[in-house]
C-alpha cells in the first residue's frame, strides 16, 4: 500500500505482465528469426507497450510486409505477444522502357526477388539495351545485385554486385573509320557491421569493400588507338 500526503492509503499499481510467448501469424514465407532479430523485446521481458510498439515498427521497417499489428493475449495464465503480418509479393518482374529528352531509347527488364528463403535476402537481375538517337549501335548492360542484411542473425550485412556492359562504336580516327566494341566488366563485394547490437537495424554502420574493374576493346576495323 502507498501512503499519500492526505493520509489515505492507495493500492500499489498492478505489475506489468511478462511476455511468456511471442507468436507470429501470417508469415507464410518469412522465418521467425527475421522478426526476432528486429524486435526490441523478447520472451521474459515486461510487456511494455512502448517497446512493443517500437518492435512492431521495426518489423514494418524491414519493408517485407504490407501491414504489421501487435497485441497481447492471455492464455493459460501467461501473456502471449501476437504479431500479425500481411506479406508482400516477393517476386516481381519489372519491364523497363524509357525515352529521354535527347531521344535516347532504353528497353529492358528486371527481375526482383525479395526475402529469398524467408531470410530477407534480396536479389535483382537486370538486362537493358540503349540506343542513342545519333547512332544505330545498341549498348547492352547485364547486372546482378545481391544483399543479405543481418547474416544469420549477426550484426553483419553483405552486399555483392556484378555487371557487364557492351558498347559498340563506329567512329572516325584521323579521317579513317574505326569499328570496335568495348566491354566493361565490374564486380563488387561489401561487408558492413551495425555498431550497436542492442538496436538491431538502427543507428550507424561501419564497413568496407572491394571493387574489380576490367575494360576490353575488340577492334573490328581500323587501327587500334
Amino acid at each position: 500500500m502507498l501512503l499519500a500526503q492526505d493520509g489515505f492509503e492507495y493500492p500499489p499499481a498492478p505489475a506489468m505482465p511478462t511476455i511468456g510467448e511471442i507468436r507470429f501469424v501470417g508469415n507464410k514465407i518469412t522465418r521467425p528469426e527475421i522478426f526476432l532479430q528486429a524486435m526490441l523485446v523478447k520472451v521474459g521481458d515486461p510487456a511494455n507497450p512502448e517497446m512493443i510498439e517500437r518492435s512492431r515498427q521495426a518489423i514494418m521497417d524491414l519493408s517485407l510486409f504490407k501491414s504489421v499489428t501487435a497485441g497481447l493475449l492471455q492464455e493459460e495464465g501467461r501473456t502471449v505477444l501476437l504479431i500479425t503480418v500481411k506479406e508482400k509479393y516477393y517476386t516481381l518482374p519489372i519491364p523497363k522502357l524509357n525515352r529521354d529528352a535527347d531521344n535516347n531509347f532504353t528497353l529492358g527488364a528486371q527481375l526482383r526477388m525479395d526475402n529469398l528463403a524467408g531470410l530477407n535476402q534480396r536479389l535483382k537481375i537486370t538486362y537493358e539495351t540503349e540506343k542513342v538517337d545519333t547512332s544505330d549501335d545498341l549498348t547492352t548492360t547485364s547486372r546482378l545485385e545481391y544483399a543479405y542484411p543481418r547474416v544469420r542473425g549477426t550484426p553483419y550485412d553483405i552486399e555483392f554486385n556484378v555487371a557487364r556492359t557492351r558498347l559498340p562504336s563506329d567512329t572516325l580516327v584521323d579521317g579513317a573509320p574505326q569499328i570496335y566494341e568495348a566491354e566493361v566488366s565490374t564486380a563488387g563485394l561489401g561487408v558492413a557491421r551495425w555498431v550497436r547490437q542492442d538496436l538491431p537495424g538502427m543507428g550507424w554502420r561501419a564497413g568496407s569493400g572491394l571493387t574489380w574493374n576490367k575494360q576490353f576493346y575488340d577492334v573490328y576495323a581500323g587501327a587500334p588507338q
Side-chain angles (χ1 to χ4, degrees):
M1 303 292 287
L2 298 177
L3 184 63
Q5 291 182 354
D6 56 7
F8 186 81
E9 292 185 344
Y10 293 91
M16 188 175 294
T18 299
I19 299 174
E21 178 189 350
I22 300 178
R23 187 181 303 167
F24 306 106
V25 177
N27 54 315
K28 297 179 181 179
I29 297 176
T30 311
R31 298 189 186 184
E33 53 261 40
I34 298 302
F35 296 96
L36 294 173
Q37 71 186 21
M39 297 175 66
L40 302 178
V41 294
K42 62 184 183 297
V43 173
D45 287 349
N48 186 315
E50 179 182 354
M51 298 301 290
I52 291 175
E53 170 56 24
R54 290 178 63 185
S55 296
R56 186 204 67 82
Q57 186 60 51
I59 294 173
M60 192 68 187
D61 290 343
L62 294 173
S63 300
L64 297 177
F65 310 105
K66 297 178 182 178
S67 64
V68 180
T69 59
L72 294 174
L73 302 176
Q74 294 296 325
E75 290 186 357
E76 300 178 353
R78 64 175 182 168
T79 300
V80 178
L81 173 56
L82 183 66
I83 304 293
T84 305
V85 301
K86 186 175 182 180
E87 293 182 318
K88 295 181 178 180
Y89 293 106
Y90 295 130
T91 301
L92 185 63
I94 305 173
K96 300 174 74 68
L97 178 63
N98 182 56
R99 193 166 193 166
D100 62 20
D102 297 326
N103 212 28
N104 299 327
F105 189 77
T106 302
L107 177 66
Q110 181 182 91
L111 179 63
R112 177 171 178 170
M113 292 177 282
D114 296 332
N115 205 17
L116 286 174
L119 293 173
N120 196 21
Q121 302 175 79
R122 299 187 295 271
L123 178 67
K124 288 195 296 185
I125 303 173
T126 306
Y127 179 79
E128 293 179 333
T129 62
E130 181 179 7
K131 181 181 180 298
V132 180
D133 182 49
T134 57
S135 172
D136 293 330
D137 297 326
L138 285 177
T139 297
T140 62
T141 301
S142 304
R143 183 166 56 252
L144 182 146
E145 302 166 84
Y146 169 80
Y148 189 178
R150 304 292 307 280
V151 178
R152 299 182 65 85
T154 68
Y156 292 94
D157 296 350
I158 290 180
E159 296 181 357
F160 172 77
N161 65 81
V162 60
R164 186 179 73 170
T165 302
R166 301 180 71 90
L167 304 94
S169 182
D170 185 354
T171 61
L172 291 176
V173 179
D174 296 331
Q178 183 186 70
I179 301 175
Y180 69 93
E181 186 174 70
E183 181 178 297
V184 181
S185 301
T186 61
L189 174 66
V191 179
R193 185 186 189 279
W194 292 96
V195 176
R196 294 188 60 180
Q197 297 190 51
D198 57 332
L199 295 175
M202 305 177 188
W204 290 88
R205 290 193 310 166
S208 62
L210 298 172
T211 299
W212 173 83
N213 181 281
K214 176 184 177 182
Q215 298 185 23
F216 176 81
Y217 296 89
D218 196 358
V219 180
Y220 296 107
Q225 300 298 311

